[in-house]
Amino acid sequence: MFADYSMPELMSIFAMQGFAGLSLFSIFVLMALGLAIIFGQMGVINMAHGEFMILGAYTTYLTAQVFESVMPGLYGGYFFVAMILAFVVTFALGALVEWLMIRHLYHRPLDTLLATWGLSLILQQTYRSVFGAREVGVSLPDWMMGSIAVTDLVEIPINGLFVMVLSLLIAFAVYLLMFRSGWGRQVRAVVQNRPMAEAVGIDSGRVDRVTFALGCGIAGVAGSAFTMIGSTGPTSGQLYIVDTFLVVVFGGAQSLLGTIASAFTISQAQSTMEFFLSGSMAKVLTLLFVVGILMLRPQGLFALKVRR
C-alpha cells in the first residue's frame, strides 16, 4: 500500500489527511463538549444531541439568508451573529426540554435514552417539514474563501482553519466556565455529592437545567461551525452522534481534557485510515481500537473521582 508512493508524496498525504482530521476534530470537540457536559455531569443519554447541532446549523442558514437579502453589505460578518443566535436558540430549546421532559427522568438512563431518541425523530421530521428533505448550504464570506499554501502539495483551507481556531476558543471558554467560575464550582459540587450540595443551599434543579441547556447551546455552536465545512440536512446530526458518544466515553465522561484528547485521537485515526481504506473500514478499525482500550481502562483515558 505504502510502496505505491514516494516519501515526499507520503509526507504530503499525511499532512493533508492530518489537517482534514483537524477539521473533523473541531466538530468532534464542539459536539463532544456539549455531550460531555450533559452525559458526563448529569448522566443523561441525550440521543437528540445531533438534532440540536442541526438546529444551530439551520439557524445559521436562515441568518445567512437574511443577511444576503436584507444586508448584503454586511454579509462578511453574518457568521458571528449566526453563531450567537444558534447558541441562544438551542440553549432556550434545551432549557425547555429539560423542564418539560428530562427533569422527570433523572437517575433513569434508559428512559432518557428512549425519550431523547423519540425527541430526535420529532425534530428530524420538523426540519424535513420546514426546510425540506434536501440538504442546504451557506455561501462562505469572501474572507473565508481560498487556502494557505504550506508547500507545493499541501494547502490549508481558510474555513477549516477558522473552525479549528473557533473550537479551541470555545473549549477554553468551557474550561474557564467549569473550573474558574462560581457556577462551575456549583456544577462540580452537585456532581460529586448532590445531597451535600443541596444541604449547603445549591439549587441542584436550576444547576441541572442550566447545565443541560448549556450542553445543547454548545451543540448549536457546533452546528453553526458545521455549515462552514459541509451542507445541512434533516438527518445530518445522526452522522456524528455515535462518534460523539465514542469520543466522550473514550476520553472519560467527566473529563474536559480527556474529551479533547479523545477527539484528536479518533479524528486523526479516522482521517488517515480513510485515505488508504474505505470510510466504513476506517470507522470499524477505530471502533475496535477504542473498544480494546476501554476493555483495559473502562473509565476512559482520563477519569475524575466522585462520591456517590
Side-chain angles (χ1 to χ4, degrees):
M1 178 173 59
F2 294 103
D4 297 334
Y5 303 93
S6 65
M7 184 56 66
E9 289 176 333
L10 279 176
M11 295 298 292
S12 297
I13 288 171
F14 280 114
M16 289 187 293
Q17 293 303 115
F19 186 80
L22 288 177
S23 298
L24 185 61
F25 159 77
S26 303
I27 300 299
F28 278 177
V29 163
L30 291 175
M31 283 283 287
L33 282 175
L35 195 61
I37 291 173
I38 294 173
F39 178 60
Q41 305 293 334
M42 303 172 63
V44 173
I45 303 175
N46 183 16
M47 293 301 293
H49 197 72
E51 279 60 49
F52 281 96
M53 182 190 87
I54 297 307
L55 178 58
Y58 276 127
T59 302
T60 303
Y61 167 74
L62 291 176
T63 305
Q65 295 296 307
V66 171
F67 268 78
E68 192 171 21
S69 59
V70 179
M71 298 175 286
L74 300 176
Y75 189 78
Y78 88 88
F79 178 77
F80 300 101
V81 177
M83 185 172 61
I84 295 172
L85 290 176
F87 178 83
V88 171
V89 169
T90 51
F91 182 96
L93 180 60
L96 181 63
V97 168
E98 196 280 339
W99 181 72
L100 289 176
M101 182 173 67
I102 300 298
R103 67 190 179 103
H104 303 291
L105 302 175
Y106 287 128
H107 310 298
R108 295 157 60 185
L110 292 180
D111 290 345
T112 62
L113 185 151
L114 291 174
T116 54
W117 179 65
L119 176 63
S120 74
L121 296 179
I122 293 172
L123 291 176
Q124 286 178 35
Q125 187 56 48
T126 301
Y127 300 152
R128 190 175 288 108
S129 300
V130 174
F131 298 100
R134 298 183 63 180
E135 294 187 346
V136 298
V138 300
S139 299
L140 296 178
D142 292 338
W143 60 272
M144 280 194 191
M145 304 292 285
S147 59
I148 300 173
V150 180
T151 66
D152 293 338
L153 299 175
V154 179
E155 293 184 348
I156 299 177
I158 294 176
N159 61 324
L161 186 63
F162 174 79
V163 171
M164 184 176 65
V165 172
L166 175 66
S167 67
L168 294 177
L169 290 175
I170 292 176
F172 182 66
V174 171
Y175 165 78
L176 293 179
L177 182 63
M178 296 299 296
F179 297 98
R180 292 293 184 269
S181 72
W183 181 80
R185 285 193 293 271
Q186 290 187 19
V187 172
R188 287 182 284 120
V190 171
V191 170
Q192 292 178 9
N193 195 322
R194 182 179 291 268
M196 184 60 69
E198 293 174 342
V200 298
I202 295 177
D203 186 349
S204 62
R206 178 177 175 273
V207 169
D208 288 337
R209 183 164 304 124
V210 175
T211 301
F212 187 86
L214 177 64
C216 295
I218 295 174
V221 175
S224 191
F226 177 74
T227 62
M228 298 294 100
I229 59 176
S231 55
T232 303
T235 59
S236 297
Q238 294 299 307
L239 301 176
Y240 292 91
I241 187 65
V242 174
D243 288 332
T244 305
F245 268 108
L246 200 63
V247 166
V248 172
V249 174
F250 183 49
Q254 296 168 338
S255 171
L256 178 62
L257 178 61
T259 297
I260 296 174
S262 175
F264 181 81
T265 303
I266 292 176
S267 62
Q268 289 297 322
Q270 282 193 15
S271 178
T272 302
M273 287 190 292
E274 280 177 359
F275 184 84
F276 300 101
L277 305 170
S278 65
S280 58
M281 183 57 67
K283 283 185 177 292
V284 168
L285 292 178
T286 303
L287 178 61
L288 290 176
F289 170 76
V290 171
V291 169
I293 296 297
L294 290 177
M295 290 178 65
L296 299 175
R297 189 176 173 82
Q299 69 270 35
L301 295 177
F302 300 84
L304 298 178
K305 294 181 179 180
V306 298
R307 295 187 182 95
R308 297 297 183 188

